[in-house]
Amino acid sequence: MPVTPAPGGLQIREARTEDLPALVALFASDTLGGHGDTTAPEAQDHYRAAFAAIADDPRARLYAAELDGRVVGTFQLMFVTSLPGRGAKRALIEAVQVDESLRGRRIGEAMVRFAMEKAAAEGAATLALTSSKLRTDAHRFYRRLGFSNSHEGFKIVLA
């Protein structure tokens, strides 16, 4: 599946350490996420450790979407192989975030299509995601890209 050309010079690439402040700022500005993300200096060690763990995991990739030299979006792509489906490789897309002031410019679409292409190239049978029930606009967006509500998601807070 070819990637739709990114709008207006958008580049999607693997995230680099120097992107970390911009990535954290994207999550910290998210009013619906409810993850408690912050740009406060005392939290930065946690983000650096998480970035290093993702970078060291051969099954995970963190991406940055850059426009005019500025990080304007991000997502994480992970791969897992499981016994069901005859040992199928599955891809998960997580933490999809676009700068709120730039939403509606097809940046999110370019990122998700990029993830779809990468997952297919890695031999993934499916690409899955979860989205907060509060994100009704995101739900319409994902449906428009061909995703379906095939499962009911559950989680429990452990820490």
Side-chain angles (χ1 to χ4, degrees):
M1 171 183 324
V3 171
T4 300
L10 184 75
Q11 294 184 331
I12 300 170
R13 57 168 173 76
E14 287 200 39
R16 301 184 292 251
T17 306
E18 59 266 24
D19 297 325
L20 194 53
L23 299 175
V24 171
L26 285 170
F27 294 117
S29 68
D30 179 15
T31 57
L32 283 180
H35 299 287
D37 290 300
T38 178
T39 57
E42 61 272 11
Q44 299 314 300
D45 285 345
H46 297 283
Y47 294 114
R48 281 190 287 276
F51 187 93
I54 294 165
D56 288 344
D57 186 342
R59 298 167 300 162
R61 291 173 193 81
L62 183 63
Y63 291 94
E66 186 178 292
L67 185 63
D68 298 326
R70 181 170 73 100
V71 173
V72 297
T74 186
F75 64 94
Q76 185 173 339
L77 191 59
M78 295 159 296
F79 296 92
V80 62
T81 301
S82 58
L83 289 176
R86 299 181 183 187
K89 181 185 272 190
R90 301 176 194 288
L92 305 168
I93 186 171
E94 171 106 359
V96 178
Q97 194 70 257
V98 173
D99 181 315
E100 190 172 11
S101 69
L102 298 173
R103 290 184 186 153
R105 293 185 53 188
R106 304 186 84 116
I107 293 168
E109 178 178 347
M111 293 189 322
V112 173
R113 290 195 185 280
F114 181 94
M116 293 165 77
E117 182 178 273
K118 287 289 185 186
E122 290 274 340
T126 59
L127 175 62
L129 62 88
T130 60
S131 180
S132 166
K133 289 189 178 215
L134 299 175
R135 296 189 182 279
T136 55
D137 289 340
H139 302 167
R140 281 190 298 278
F141 164 74
Y142 290 123
R143 282 187 205 100
R144 183 173 58 78
L145 294 179
F147 288 82
S148 64
N149 296 85
S150 62
H151 293 73
E152 185 75 19
F154 298 91
K155 76 175 181 180
I156 187 168
V157 176
L158 299 174

